[in-house]
Amino acid sequence: MREIMVRAMYCEMLGYDASFTYIHAIKLAQQGGLLEKRVGYLAVSLFLNEGHELLLLLVNTVLKDLQSTNLIEACMALTVVAQVFPKDMIPAVLPLVEDKLSHPKEIIRRKAVLALYKFYLIAPNQVQHIHAKFRKALCDKDPGVMTSSLHIYLQLIRSPDSYKDMTGSFVTILKQVVGGKLPLDFNYHSVPAPWLQIQLLRILSLLGKEDQSTSELMYEVLDESLRRAEMNHNITYAILYECVKAVYTIHPKAELLEKAARCIGNFVLSPKINLKYLGLKALTYVVQHDAKLALQHQMTIIECLDHSDFTIKRETLELLFRITNAQNVTVIVEKMLDFLRICNDEHTIIHLVGKVADYVPIKTLTFAPDNSWFIQTMNDVFSIGGDLLQQDVPNNFLRLLAEGSESKEEDDQLRLYAVDSYLTVLKGHTSHLPQCFLQVMSWVLGEYAHLQESVDQREVIRLLTQLLDQRSVSSETRVWILSALTKISEGQTDLILDLAESLSSSQDTVLRQQAQELRHLSQDSHKTSSKPLCKNVDSSLSFLDGFVSEALAAGAAPYKPPHQRQEELCEDRALNLEPYGFSLPVSLSSCSITDRQSPTLLSVSSGLSGNSTELSQKAGSSTLILEGVKRVWGKDGYLPQKEATAPPVDEPSAAVQPPSQQEAAERIEPRPDPSTQNQDKQQLASSLFVGLGVGSSMSLLGKSEAPPLRFRKKPRPHESSSSSSGTSERSSDSSSRSSRNTTDSFLYSSLLEEEPAASISAFDHTPKSTTANGLAQNKDTKEDRRANTSQILGGDMVIVRPSTIQDKHPPSVSSDLTALLPADLKDLPHSDVISLTSDPSLSLSSCRLFRDEALLPLVVTTEEYGKLWLSLSHDVKQNLKLLTDAGDPLRTTLNALKDALQLHVVDIIGSEGIVACRLLSGAPCLLHCRVNGTALAMWLRSPHPALPDCILYHCQRALAHH
Amino acid sequence: MIKFLLMVNKQGQTRLSKYYEQVELGKRAALEADVVRGCLARRKEECSFVEYKDYKLVYRQYAALFVVVGITENENELSIYELVHNFVEVLDKYFSRVSELDIMFNLDKVHIILDEMILNGHIVETNKNRILALLALDKMAES
């Protein structure tokens, strides 16, 4: 049986399925004699992986053998426990294994420690109570047991800082090992326990990282290690390498750094190829801390770059990546592409091309060598990487082109260059080009071919049509090409008709359909826009204004997005009716009965609540009603935009208001808080499920209407400038704010911002004349009430600032003020009431009510997090900026986010961190962050489809402002 | 961390394979073939480390037999390179002048030795006497 089992192992090794023997392996371990048992256990460990169901049959045997007095049996059982053991059964054997820690034989103690290490790896919670015993194992008189316990510590020290006090012990151990205090049989080629030294050095570098006082403890022993490891043998170099890494990881000490640098020099210059490799690897690690070191070895690096050995080249490129800067980016990318051209390993290509592609745009934007270089390089990337590229490489590239940078001229130049270069490429031989490159080209030509005036559009059409005829072009690419043709086809009816004709017999139905559409479009040329489509999509659909106002005038109910309707259904109806009891103006109450927002009510109230200037600023892009309509008409697809947006519905009605009233509104009720000012903006963000924070820097969360567009347009400068056409004297101080808001609203149409600071400053320069008080106050009361009313009307109202004017009475105590809140708002959670003025004749107070959503930290344990993570469906991934200015970048970044966004940092493990938060209403959002080079790879999950995007956006903002 | 250890001869036949990370049976053969091809293609003067997918391969040649170890990026290549030698030295000591045939016909012993040295992808013992201690006990039990 034993012999047969060995043969079964052999079969499996050669790749034949021997699963029928698994059960026999277990039987052998159960019933066989000592040697059979040995082979049985061995076969089990080779055949079965953790979680295999047959392992359960083994548990009893293991238990029995653990209790056996026979040393060999106990050893075998412990070995198999440390290799494969079902996680659920750990509690059964744990006490037995624990007992073995005090076994007289070192081999048993050693194996017990290793088994516990395994337990720690798969179920850390279950061994938490025996951490003290790990310490005992570390102090074991036998070096073997001590060595095994180091594995546990290497793992433990990766996360918390609670092991700093053990630095001394590790240093002493290393000192003894280096000093040759171990028995001679631990030596390997007369180097004392080299792998143990490496292990200890790793532990020390983890401990000393960014910790000066701990680092100081180890300087001496590191120095000693560097000195001792002078013998000319590979293993000493391995130790040296680890030493150098440790020296550069811990808090720096000049003397040691110098020595370590010299070591690296020796490595790199060594004629032995393996050492050269290790030297390069060390250098790659070290240049992150000190880029100057690379300078010393310039020539060697250049040599290595042209080395015949593929591995060396690859490692050198890795090194170059780390030292890339504005000056050398062109050269390095050039080298990289050269390498890629001769490289034929698919995996390496994907890896490197991805890096280049990631790198090139970043570098171009930050250092901007020049456009032609950028386009040329991306061309190379596309043609080399071809269809191995990950989809986001072309996507990002196109987004870059579409979004552009600050200046329109530069963008156009870039686009122009791209068009030129693609035309050149297309004129050449195209059959070998990868599909994704063709797709990129056709998109760019479709969008921007018109920029190049010197080239006849017919020529472009001809080139693209040629592509269509090629056999090698996939049908997906054909679709891309055809949509490009659609975009530039205007005025070229004859060509297009020919094309449509030839395609109408195509096998591919999609193509046939597109051809058909193309034909119709070209026949009705007024339907097509001469402008490139993506560029001028009117996100506010302002051209529908007229239609909407007509419809509303005819008595149509204003559109409400579905979720708002739902919300309203859920809400108590009284909510909307009650506040009108306060409202004085008759004109309003008539509308309020409908329980709906009528356009007049809306515009009046919002005009009162803020200043109309800001209103009209927003109106172009964000009016409630328009936005509502968008829902209905949004699917219409691309529509030409009129450059000047139609007059918003709000504007006339706001203008109708007597100036004095408006002024009064401004004066007495300074509410420059954008969220209230822009009532309509709030409304527009009717898809808003706003989170409202506590701190002033806290931003609100909105969710975007549509899934986030990758090709999001940046706001045009003229939008904010034209928006300041208002009459108010405050336009100057508010313009900066408003332009930012425009940006926000553009990017995330439902974002609300809160800026108490701004509100105070605005308040300061509105002088109060006592004479006007009587009148003003009177109006105030109305207006305040009305303001409240209006806010309540807007289903998404977030902030209420009840300003209570008390003519004769002294200002009452602030706590009483809450009683003055409208009845339906009393029950909502609110912040403290803050008095805004000390004027005896006027009491102006504010408090904030949380009606909708606020973001709250979600306190969970790592396990709960794990479970929750799996249960969530909507996820978003994105790379964010990593704050690298201080200390541990991951920790710093997460703390910054935590402070800014009310997140709960659940755990930070090595280079990964997990963070959780939830909405007031309960929807959680989990964030998983991983340090990825210089970026923070963020992965968000939530049951709410839009929440991850939203939080991501705010994280980006928080980090950008940091 | 060590992901796998292979012993392959020049003809590409696997003599020993041990995976510390679950790899499907069907994929092992392909992986082994790939790995061997990668190592065989390299010349003597080139360095003993090759990149392969996410792993680094560290290989060392003994006559017609290659020992190839797949490791992760953060592992110290040179120390693994020497570990391979240590392993072969232990085998040499146990079989007294080890040959490919010894490994073929004593697969279980080689595995036991390997299990003593590497556990779950970590180096746990490098002391030759201790590695062989268990097998010595076995021998005693046998006789």
Side-chain angles (χ1 to χ4, degrees), chain A residues 38 49 82 111 142 309, chain B residues 22 42 47 116 120 130 138:
Chain A
R38 150 87 70 222
N49 51 48
K111 285 188 179 290
D142 184 86
D309 191 339
Chain B
Q22 203 193 332
R42 294 179 65 82
C47 76
E116 288 294 304
N120 297 316
R130 293 192 167 196
D138 277 359

Side-chain angles (χ1 to χ4, degrees), chain A residues 297-316:
Chain A
H297 304 296
Q298 265 174 353
M299 285 328 288
T300 327
I301 294 172
I302 298 295
E303 267 169 40
C304 288
L305 205 55
D306 297 325
H307 203 278
S308 60
D309 191 339
F310 191 81
T311 315
I312 297 280
K313 257 188 195 168
R314 176 79 178 76
E315 197 61 38
T316 317

Side-chain angles (χ1 to χ4, degrees), chain A residues 2 6 9-10 12-18 22 34-35 38-39 42 45-46 49-50 71-72 75 79 82-83 106-107 110-111 114-115 117-118 121 142-145 147-148 151 155 185-189 193 195 198 202 233-235 237-239 241-242 245 273-275 277-278 281 307-312 314-315 345 347-348 351, chain B residues 1 7 13-19 22 25-26 28-29 32 42-56 60 72-87 89 103-109 111-112 115-116 118-120 122-131 133-135 137-139 141-142:
Chain A
R2 191 178 131 206
V6 177
M9 280 156 42
Y10 208 85
E12 282 261 286
M13 188 182 80
L14 294 178
Y16 302 100
D17 180 45
Y22 293 176
L34 205 56
L35 289 169
R38 150 87 70 222
V39 175
L42 181 64
S45 73
L46 281 174
N49 51 48
E50 271 162 62
L71 191 68
I72 301 177
C75 269
T79 311
Q83 283 171 326
E106 62 84 20
I107 188 163
R110 189 155 58 84
K111 285 188 179 290
L114 289 172
Y117 169 59
K118 174 75 177 180
L121 284 183
D142 184 86
V145 183
T147 311
S148 327
H151 290 287
Q155 208 66 37
D185 61 351
F186 279 93
N187 285 8
Y188 172 78
H189 291 258
W195 291 278
I198 289 171
R202 283 182 191 157
H233 190 276
N234 270 337
I235 195 67
Y237 293 122
I239 299 174
Y241 167 76
E242 215 63 47
K245 260 179 92 171
I273 191 85
N274 284 347
L275 288 188
Y277 169 85
L278 213 62
K281 201 177 167 187
H307 203 278
S308 60
D309 191 339
F310 191 81
T311 315
I312 297 280
R314 176 79 178 76
E315 197 61 38
D345 177 40
H347 192 80
T348 323
H351 190 75
Chain B
M1 194 188 147
M7 286 178 114
Q13 292 158 318
T14 312
R15 291 295 175 227
L16 177 91
S17 70
K18 174 85 188 172
Y19 292 85
Q22 203 193 332
L25 207 58
R28 291 187 188 185
E32 282 160 25
R42 294 179 65 82
R43 285 166 302 169
K44 272 250 159 64
E45 67 269 20
E46 296 184 327
C47 76
S48 321
F49 317 122
V50 203
E51 201 158 317
Y52 174 71
K53 294 197 176 157
D54 298 339
Y55 317 118
K56 279 269 164 63
R60 201 160 178 163
T72 53
E73 183 66 32
N74 54 14
E75 192 62 72
N76 180 334
E77 284 92 346
L78 207 54
S79 80
I80 300 294
Y81 185 70
E82 285 307 307
L83 179 79
V84 170
H85 192 64
N86 195 16
F87 176 51
E89 278 183 1
I103 295 166
M104 265 179 81
F105 293 117
N106 294 286
L107 193 63
D108 52 337
K109 301 276 189 273
H111 266 297
I112 291 168
D115 283 350
E116 288 294 304
I118 306 173
L119 194 76
N120 297 316
H122 299 285
I123 307 167
V124 291
E125 187 59 87
T126 51
N127 181 331
K128 294 190 186 81
N129 298 331
R130 293 192 167 196
I131 294 167
L134 256 190
L135 282 170
L137 283 175
D138 277 359
K139 258 188 189 159
E142 218 167 344

Side-chain angles (χ1 to χ4, degrees), chain A residues 613-670:
Chain A
T613 322
E614 299 239 342
L615 253 185
S616 55
Q617 285 169 13
K618 294 292 148 13
S621 62
S622 53
T623 336
L624 156 77
I625 301 165
L626 301 184
E627 189 62 19
V629 173
K630 184 182 173 187
R631 276 290 171 108
V632 180
W633 293 95
K635 291 204 176 92
D636 241 21
Y638 298 117
L639 288 157
Q641 185 198 26
K642 301 159 220 158
E643 206 52 56
T645 51
V649 193
D650 279 359
E651 206 162 38
S653 49
V656 163
Q657 289 183 0
S660 66
Q661 192 184 357
Q662 199 180 322
E663 213 182 300
E666 258 168 37
R667 190 181 296 162
I668 318 287
E669 195 200 347

Side-chain angles (χ1 to χ4, degrees), chain A residues 527-827:
Chain A
K527 278 187 191 163
T528 53
S529 150
S530 64
K531 291 192 175 164
L533 301 173
C534 135
K535 204 170 161 190
N536 284 325
V537 175
D538 177 6
S539 63
S540 63
L541 302 187
S542 49
F543 53 89
L544 287 172
D545 289 358
F547 174 78
V548 172
S549 42
E550 268 173 40
L552 287 170
Y559 176 77
K560 287 178 189 172
H563 74 93
Q564 193 190 341
R565 266 176 267 155
Q566 252 175 0
E567 260 172 36
E568 281 180 14
L569 277 179
C570 304
E571 272 168 19
D572 191 356
R573 288 274 160 149
L575 187 74
N576 275 340
L577 292 172
E578 280 228 6
Y580 301 116
F582 289 97
S583 79
L584 301 175
V586 196
S587 63
L588 294 183
S589 52
S590 63
C591 304
S592 63
I593 301 166
T594 62
D595 197 16
R596 294 257 163 89
Q597 303 120 311
S598 85
T600 39
L601 167 65
L602 246 178
S603 45
V604 170
S605 57
S606 50
L608 290 174
S609 67
N611 53 4
S612 57
T613 322
E614 299 239 342
L615 253 185
S616 55
Q617 285 169 13
K618 294 292 148 13
S621 62
S622 53
T623 336
L624 156 77
I625 301 165
L626 301 184
E627 189 62 19
V629 173
K630 184 182 173 187
R631 276 290 171 108
V632 180
W633 293 95
K635 291 204 176 92
D636 241 21
Y638 298 117
L639 288 157
Q641 185 198 26
K642 301 159 220 158
E643 206 52 56
T645 51
V649 193
D650 279 359
E651 206 162 38
S653 49
V656 163
Q657 289 183 0
S660 66
Q661 192 184 357
Q662 199 180 322
E663 213 182 300
E666 258 168 37
R667 190 181 296 162
I668 318 287
E669 195 200 347
R671 302 158 56 115
D673 185 315
S675 61
T676 34
Q677 273 169 11
N678 307 309
Q679 191 79 53
D680 54 72
K681 193 172 149 198
Q682 261 182 53
Q683 305 275 8
L684 156 137
S686 37
S687 51
L688 182 102
F689 62 105
V690 168
L692 177 61
V694 200
S696 63
S697 65
M698 173 70 197
S699 24
L700 307 174
L701 294 176
K703 83 178 173 197
S704 55
E705 294 258 41
L709 300 166
R710 293 218 85 170
F711 293 78
R712 204 177 283 135
K713 297 301 295 176
K714 285 192 177 169
R716 293 282 143 71
H718 66 80
E719 270 163 350
S720 50
S721 58
S722 70
S723 64
S724 54
S725 60
T727 50
S728 163
E729 77 276 17
R730 279 172 45 200
S731 63
S732 58
D733 71 297
S734 63
S735 66
S736 64
R737 204 169 353 109
S738 69
S739 68
R740 211 179 93 220
N741 284 334
T742 329
T743 315
D744 286 344
S745 71
F746 228 88
L747 290 176
Y748 255 78
S749 51
S750 52
L751 173 79
L752 291 183
E753 275 278 294
E754 222 194 338
E755 286 171 8
S759 89
I760 287 159
S761 69
F763 188 70
D764 283 345
H765 73 104
T766 49
K768 225 171 271 133
S769 66
T770 30
T771 51
N773 252 358
L775 177 70
Q777 276 163 10
N778 214 346
K779 278 183 184 145
D780 283 342
T781 334
K782 285 183 211 162
E783 276 149 20
D784 284 334
R785 292 284 150 75
R786 249 182 284 167
N788 281 343
T789 320
S790 71
Q791 283 164 347
I792 293 154
L793 277 172
D796 295 301
M797 186 276 301
V798 193
I799 296 168
V800 169
R801 302 201 166 187
S803 329
T804 317
I805 313 298
Q806 285 154 336
D807 216 350
K808 300 279 183 263
H809 316 288
S812 52
V813 224
S814 58
S815 60
D816 288 344
L817 285 176
T818 52
L820 294 164
L821 283 169
D824 53 315
L825 296 179
K826 264 180 200 153
D827 294 330

Side-chain angles (χ1 to χ4, degrees), chain A residues 215-226:
Chain A
S215 297
E216 271 163 6
L217 293 173
M218 48 186 89
Y219 288 147
E220 194 192 333
V221 71
L222 285 178
D223 192 34
E224 173 102 9
S225 296
L226 281 175

